[in-house]
Amino acid sequence: MRGQKRIGFPVAQAFPNILGKSKSSNGSVSPDVVKEEVAREMQYRLSTNSSSDEATYAAVAWSVHNRLVDSFNKTHEFWKSKDPKFVYYLSAEFLMGRTMTNAINNLGVEGEYAEAIREIGSTMEAVADTEVDAALGNGGLGRLAACFLDSMASLDLPGWGYGIRYKYGMFKQGVAEDGKQIELPDKWIPETGNPWEIRRPQIRFPVGFYGSVGAGGEWTPAETVHAVACDFPIPGYHTSTTSNLRLWDAEPVEEFDLEAFNAGEYEKAVASRRKADEIVAVLYPNDATEEGKELRLKQQYFFVAASLQDTLARFLEEHGDLEKLPEKAIFQLNDTHPTIAVPELMRLLIDVHGMEFSKAWDVTKKCLAYTNHTVMPEALEKWPVAVLSKLLPRHMQLIEQINETWLESIKAHVEKKVADAAPKAEDPDDVPTEDSEVEGAVDPLEAALAEYSIVQENPWNKGEMLVNMAYLAVVGSCAVNGVAAIHSEIIKEDIFPQFVEIFPEKFQNKTNGVTLRRWLAYCNPELAALVTEALGTDAWVKDATLLSKLKAMAEDAEFRKKWRAIKMQRKEKLAAHIKEVTGYDVPVNAMFDVQVKRIHEYKRQLMNTVSLIHRYQKIKAASPEERAKMVPRVAILGGKAASAYYMAKKIVALVNAVSKTVNNDPEVGDLLKVIFLPNYNVTEAEVIIPAAELSQHISTAGTEASGTSNMKFALNGSLIIGTMDGANIEIADNTGVENLFTFGVDAADVPRLREERKDFKDYDPRWVAAFDAVRKGEFGDADYFEDLVDSVNDMTKGNDWFLVANDFATYMDAQDEADALYADEEEWTKKSILYTASNGFFSSDRTIQQYADEIWNVKPCAP
């Protein structure tokens, strides 16, 4: 399983600077030179004289590509000469979004390209709008990874991302006539080639599956594919550093079996190609079937195995002793998806490079760090031993050996814990003897050790053994971190308390952040310009602490007027987009109320929808005088429901049913519009977030690890209605809790309330009336929505696990507070400014600097 011969960092001489002196990473290039470069790409690479925006985009993109390659080569030659320690960020997804605008701005050549495109006959915005989002991620996990890569490069930190080059995204979301979600292939790679990637066919590694293991641990895979490197250069903001996202494509070892084909066995002839394509076909394949589960594990191992082989090969080009690997490399595991890195690094060190087990285990623990992103059980992966043993038999052996070593190492601690917890006999006659022991009784020590074991019995399927991947990550890492203050406490107290006993120093908090480049400076250029004007500098784009100086501007009436004018511009742009996508006209003088995120019961889009039904009913019942006093509202929702998530898909359908009824009721008019924007992605977010005035982050307390969309909305001046959950708590600390519309039960009360939920009778009358309307078919097919309604109302059929009914009344109170404040535009604007001014803390630059200083020990290394 040794890697084939490969090159290290690309050599600069192999990629000559075709742009000569005109090329620069700091913007020192003229628009005329840029125009010539674009014309050359149009003529020689694209072979077209078209002046369409699509053709212009392709030519501009390839021109930028050339600049990125040159900067990439210079960066990596410099890093090779300095030999710094690297961080490698392993993630199953990277939600990159569009690249062109971000790359041009980070390179500092936005003015030159904008002018060149104008001279060609178009605009930067029109050309950029033709780019398709890179569908390499789905939700906050992938977008966070993308923000982190931007920050690593902008801070000049030697580091790469590693993942999979999916051919299709999870799916492209559509909406049927009946409002139900439609899942379509999300093909994102252009037919003419992707200008943002550099395919490196010479860098490839074998990745094996299935097979058998010999008596000495020799693994003979029954199936092997090649992982082929595809590099996506990541330019830092106004720095000479261009880092890398290396994604792996899968190719068969043998492309085509001619002998089988000639024998008429046509499927067998292309079977190897099909198996390789399956691995990289789709992000998060539906895992409702055994085949789907196996494919997900295959994907995880595929990119981890290739990434570790690649890193070791590069290390060995410069160094001879793998025991020193921790001095030069650390791998950050982005949630549990890459946790198979623990046994894979052990396998490579032991089986391929001949290291003794204890030394390999010491190296592995120093090289890996684990970020936990969720408390949701479905995301804390547990793989059946039977599946792991079948797909990765050598790895299952190593996991068992790791588990034995781990349990032996803590045995004395657990023995003492058991002894301390045992009841003290008051009389010698009370001490049990061997004869008095109950036959079949569980050994207290074994029972206690089972709580720490990586391999555990499935409590819902007796006899089935599972590998707890989160436990494996904790045991096999040098550091474990949560992603918000409350979340980091929850994982210590509820998820991993037994591990905190053993090594409390291993657990840390690293509150998430977002890049201010994409999520303020580039997506909201008008507001960014106003901020720069007010501060007298654009240094805030990299030093977000400067935003705090805007607080004083909240008291300036003229500044507030400018702030409102910019918000209105962004609302008008979003309104035009809504019209184009849905056909609905929405009033721009209404409050723009937004909830856009992955559809999940814990995120409680259902609660929002029920509140909108009530608002609709209230408008219908109101007199003309009462309606005149109401605050008009445009409610905008968006997000994908996983294809196998039955209840989430029903929530999407209900939102669309409410939308259809409300928006076509002339009696309601502009007092309420309900909009579902399908196929929510990065580009949609860049239009929606700057226009939002109220954003909803309403998960049940203790269920949202952090959230990052709340940070993006806050930085763009949107007020928040939310629970004290995830990063909402820290946003409240920074902004002042009095400036948020907070509601809901505390996280500490959730377990008790779940126990008592079956006895809950105090349903709010507004809740009852809204669900009665759904049951009567006022919003579409009542039968279709019956089990969704029952899930939060009939505790003989559901359990309302996320306490939607419990929190509804206080949620409605918070909505009333929002309406009241919105009627006072000056006070609303003051708070909007305070949100932007108070939340520079949520820059991903700050987060990454903390990782670098406190976990990775990686230092800046600027070319």
Side-chain angles (χ1 to χ4, degrees):
M1 294 291 290
R2 288 183 183 272
Q4 297 183 0
K5 181 171 175 57
R6 60 178 304 290
I7 64 168
F9 295 125
V11 179
Q13 289 83 349
F15 299 90
N17 181 357
I18 65 169
L19 303 175
K21 294 181 180 179
S22 69
K23 181 129 174 18
S24 171
S25 63
N26 63 7
S28 57
V29 57
S30 73
D32 288 340
V33 170
V34 170
K35 189 177 176 182
E36 289 173 13
E37 294 166 9
V38 172
R40 187 162 61 245
E41 295 296 332
M42 193 85 78
Q43 181 177 1
Y44 294 111
R45 193 187 297 266
L46 303 176
S47 298
T48 181
N49 59 4
S50 171
S51 59
S52 69
D53 286 336
E54 290 78 8
T56 302
Y57 159 73
V60 167
W62 283 111
S63 166
V64 178
H65 163 97
N66 296 338
R67 298 180 181 283
L68 289 172
V69 169
D70 189 52
S71 178
F72 178 99
N73 290 336
K74 289 177 180 176
T75 299
H76 288 82
E77 271 300 295
F78 181 78
W79 283 347
K80 187 176 182 180
S81 70
K82 296 298 183 182
D83 192 26
K85 183 178 183 181
F86 267 70
V87 57
Y88 298 104
Y89 199 82
L90 305 183
S91 181
E93 55 172 298
F94 290 89
L95 190 54
M96 304 302 290
R98 292 172 173 172
T99 298
M100 190 185 85
T101 301
N102 198 76
I104 286 174
N105 279 281
N106 273 15
L107 289 170
V109 290
E110 61 274 17
E112 293 81 353
Y113 270 91
E115 186 174 334
I117 291 170
R118 278 196 300 272
E119 291 182 13
I120 292 169
S122 189
T123 65
M124 178 80 84
E125 185 175 17
V127 170
D129 275 346
T130 67
E131 183 178 354
V132 177
D133 276 38
L136 298 165
N138 174 46
L141 185 79
R143 186 52 234 170
L144 180 79
C147 285
F148 279 5
L149 293 185
D150 179 88
S151 287
M152 286 181 206
S154 296
L155 295 172
D156 301 308
L157 295 172
W160 284 15
Y162 272 118
I164 297 177
R165 183 187 183 268
Y166 301 101
K167 287 184 171 59
Y168 298 92
M170 190 168 76
F171 59 82
K172 184 176 182 179
Q173 184 190 49
V175 176
E177 274 296 315
D178 59 3
K180 295 175 185 174
Q181 173 176 288
I182 300 172
E183 293 132 29
L184 305 166
D186 190 5
K187 186 177 181 181
W188 66 275
I189 301 172
E191 294 286 350
T192 54
N194 184 5
W196 309 117
E197 71 177 350
I198 306 164
R199 192 172 183 87
R200 303 196 189 278
Q202 76 278 24
I203 303 178
R204 58 178 61 221
F205 296 94
V207 179
F209 307 100
Y210 310 107
S212 59
V213 181
E218 308 86 7
W219 179 29
T220 305
E223 181 182 307
T224 303
V225 299
H226 279 158
V228 179
C230 299
D231 289 346
F232 290 70
I234 307 294
Y237 174 75
H238 290 195
T239 174
S240 52
T241 296
T242 293
S243 187
N244 191 30
L245 168 59
R246 176 159 286 179
L247 301 178
W248 298 103
D249 196 6
E251 290 187 357
V253 175
E254 293 184 7
E255 177 76 25
F256 184 70
D257 188 339
L258 182 60
E259 184 178 346
F261 186 85
N262 288 336
E265 299 176 3
Y266 304 126
E267 289 190 11
K268 182 181 177 183
V270 295
S272 294
R273 164 53 69 184
R274 178 182 56 77
K275 288 178 180 178
D277 286 346
E278 285 173 356
I279 294 172
V280 296
V282 177
L283 167 68
Y284 296 146
N286 188 333
D287 61 354
T289 65
E290 289 304 311
E291 292 81 4
K293 288 184 176 68
E294 197 169 292
L295 180 55
R296 280 213 187 186
L297 181 56
K298 232 180 183 182
Q299 286 183 332
Q300 292 176 10
Y301 178 64
F302 169 76
F303 91 85
V304 166
S307 303
L308 292 178
Q309 288 183 73
D310 187 34
T311 306
L312 295 190
R314 197 158 51 248
F315 175 85
L316 290 171
E317 287 176 357
E318 304 295 328
H319 310 277
D321 185 359
L322 279 168
E323 288 187 43
K324 295 182 179 179
L325 182 66
E327 298 173 14
K328 295 297 179 182
I330 187 164
F331 301 89
Q332 188 69 42
L333 310 180
N334 193 28
D335 222 352
T336 54
H337 307 124
T339 301
I340 199 68
V342 177
E344 173 61 5
L345 185 52
M346 290 289 286
R347 185 191 72 83
L348 291 170
L349 294 174
I350 296 168
D351 298 355
V352 178
H353 297 285
M355 193 178 289
E356 186 263 334
F357 180 92
S358 62
K359 289 184 179 179
W361 185 228
D362 186 53
V363 169
T364 296
K365 289 187 293 181
K366 290 177 181 176
C367 281
L368 301 178
Y370 163 53
T371 300
N372 174 278
H373 281 281
T374 182
V375 299
M376 292 291 104
E378 67 266 26
L380 293 168
E381 295 179 305
K382 296 177 182 177
W383 289 107
V385 168
V387 173
L388 263 167
S389 298
K390 175 186 174 185
L391 187 68
L392 302 169
R394 177 57 175 148
H395 297 75
M396 192 62 238
Q397 282 188 351
L398 287 166
I399 290 170
E400 288 172 342
Q401 192 172 355
I402 289 167
N403 196 39
E404 289 171 9
T405 302
W406 157 244
L407 294 178
E408 185 61 33
S409 73
I410 63 170
K411 192 171 183 179
H413 168 85
V414 178
E415 283 178 337
K416 183 177 184 302
K417 182 179 176 182
V418 169
D420 291 345
K424 301 295 185 284
E426 296 180 3
D427 189 285
D429 293 337
D430 293 336
V431 178
T433 64
E434 287 187 20
D435 293 337
S436 67
E437 288 180 355
V438 178
E439 186 177 346
V442 177
D443 181 346
L445 178 59
E446 287 186 13
L449 281 171
E451 295 297 314
Y452 299 81
S453 180
I454 295 164
V455 182
Q456 301 175 324
E457 186 176 44
N458 185 346
W460 311 111
N461 186 11
K462 191 169 178 61
E464 182 185 42
M465 301 305 292
L466 303 174
V467 176
N468 188 314
M469 301 303 279
Y471 286 9
L472 179 60
V474 171
V475 172
S477 296
C478 65
V480 178
N481 71 278
V483 291
I486 184 176
H487 171 242
S488 294
E489 291 306 308
I490 288 171
I491 66 171
K492 287 194 292 185
E493 294 172 6
D494 298 341
I495 310 299
F496 306 123
Q498 66 274 47
F499 297 96
V500 176
E501 293 171 11
I502 308 295
F503 24 58
E505 72 286 349
K506 184 180 282 195
F507 289 83
Q508 304 185 21
N509 175 55
K510 298 287 173 283
T511 296
N512 283 340
V514 300
T515 170
L516 268 66
R517 269 77 67 183
R518 184 180 288 269
W519 294 113
L520 180 52
Y522 305 159
C523 76
N524 201 346
E526 299 88 355
L527 187 62
L530 181 62
V531 170
T532 296
E533 177 188 309
L535 298 180
T537 177
D538 65 358
W540 61 268
V541 180
K542 204 165 184 177
D543 181 3
T545 62
L546 295 174
L547 291 175
S548 64
K549 296 181 179 180
L550 290 172
K551 289 180 181 179
M553 304 302 295
E555 300 302 321
D556 184 324
E558 186 61 29
F559 186 78
R560 292 197 301 271
K561 183 178 179 182
K562 292 179 181 179
W563 192 273
R564 282 194 300 275
I566 289 168
K567 182 65 75 173
M568 180 58 72
Q569 279 183 264
R570 303 307 299 190
K571 289 173 68 176
E572 289 168 352
K573 182 175 181 178
L574 177 54
H577 179 67
I578 289 170
K579 174 69 173 178
E580 180 182 358
V581 173
T582 70
Y584 291 124
D585 290 301
V586 298
V588 295
N589 64 332
M591 180 201 295
F592 274 30
D593 163 14
V594 177
Q595 187 183 21
V596 284
K597 53 188 72 213
R598 179 168 56 96
I599 308 296
H600 197 292
E601 288 166 283
Y602 89 84
K603 293 179 183 288
R604 303 201 290 191
Q605 288 93 347
L606 179 59
M607 183 158 64
N608 186 2
T609 308
V610 176
S611 78
L612 293 171
I613 294 174
H614 164 71
R615 188 176 289 269
Y616 172 65
Q617 292 174 326
K618 186 177 179 181
I619 293 169
K620 294 281 285 182
S623 67
E625 293 77 20
E626 289 170 328
R627 289 179 186 173
K629 297 175 183 177
M630 290 181 176
V631 173
R633 190 179 294 217
V634 176
I636 301 159
L637 295 92
K640 295 179 182 180
S643 57
Y645 196 165
Y646 175 82
M647 208 60 83
K649 293 171 83 167
K650 295 215 166 190
I651 293 170
V652 171
L654 181 60
V655 173
N656 281 303
V658 172
S659 172
K660 187 174 183 178
T661 299
V662 171
N663 297 348
N664 290 291
D665 190 333
E667 191 178 0
V668 173
D670 283 347
L671 280 177
L672 179 63
K673 297 294 181 186
V674 179
I675 303 296
F676 184 84
L677 283 173
N679 206 41
Y680 181 62
N681 57 21
V682 174
T683 296
E684 287 285 311
E686 290 170 348
V687 178
I688 295 169
I689 291 172
E693 294 174 292
L694 181 70
S695 64
Q696 303 211 27
H697 307 278
I698 57 177
S699 53
T700 313
T703 61
E704 186 74 85
S706 167
T708 51
S709 66
N710 46 6
M711 304 170 189
K712 296 163 193 166
F713 281 103
L715 285 163
N716 281 271
S718 171
L719 277 62
I720 286 176
I721 181 171
T723 51
M724 295 304 278
D725 192 29
N728 283 359
I729 295 171
E730 288 160 276
I731 291 174
D733 289 342
N734 293 339
T735 313
V737 68
E738 70 278 5
N739 294 313
L740 278 69
F741 305 106
T742 60
F743 71 95
V745 301
D746 293 334
D749 294 327
V750 167
R752 173 182 58 81
L753 292 170
R754 282 173 171 163
E755 286 289 326
E756 298 172 355
R757 180 61 181 86
K758 61 183 179 298
D759 301 316
F760 180 84
K761 306 295 182 187
D762 191 21
Y763 290 100
D764 189 281
R766 295 165 293 187
W767 168 281
V768 174
F771 276 111
D772 281 348
V774 177
R775 287 191 183 97
K776 291 175 183 175
E778 294 179 22
F779 300 97
D781 186 349
D783 291 340
Y784 178 77
F785 295 122
E786 183 178 3
D787 49 2
L788 177 62
V789 173
D790 288 344
S791 71
V792 293
N793 286 283
D794 185 344
M795 294 304 97
T796 66
K797 297 178 180 178
N799 59 15
D800 192 13
W801 187 250
F802 298 109
L803 305 178
V804 186
N806 297 68
D807 277 354
F808 184 75
T810 56
Y811 173 64
M812 296 303 291
D813 292 342
Q815 289 281 12
D816 289 343
E817 291 172 20
D819 279 337
L821 183 65
Y822 193 77
D824 185 340
E825 70 172 11
E826 293 295 344
E827 282 303 309
W828 186 279
T829 308
K830 285 182 183 180
K831 291 183 185 293
S832 175
I833 295 167
L834 284 175
Y835 269 74
T836 301
S838 302
N839 287 295
F841 171 79
F842 294 106
S843 165
S844 54
D845 292 356
R846 184 267 313 156
T847 310
I848 287 299
Q849 192 63 61
Q850 289 182 333
Y851 273 102
D853 293 342
E854 298 166 20
I855 295 179
W856 301 338
N857 191 28
V858 171
K859 307 299 181 186
C861 188

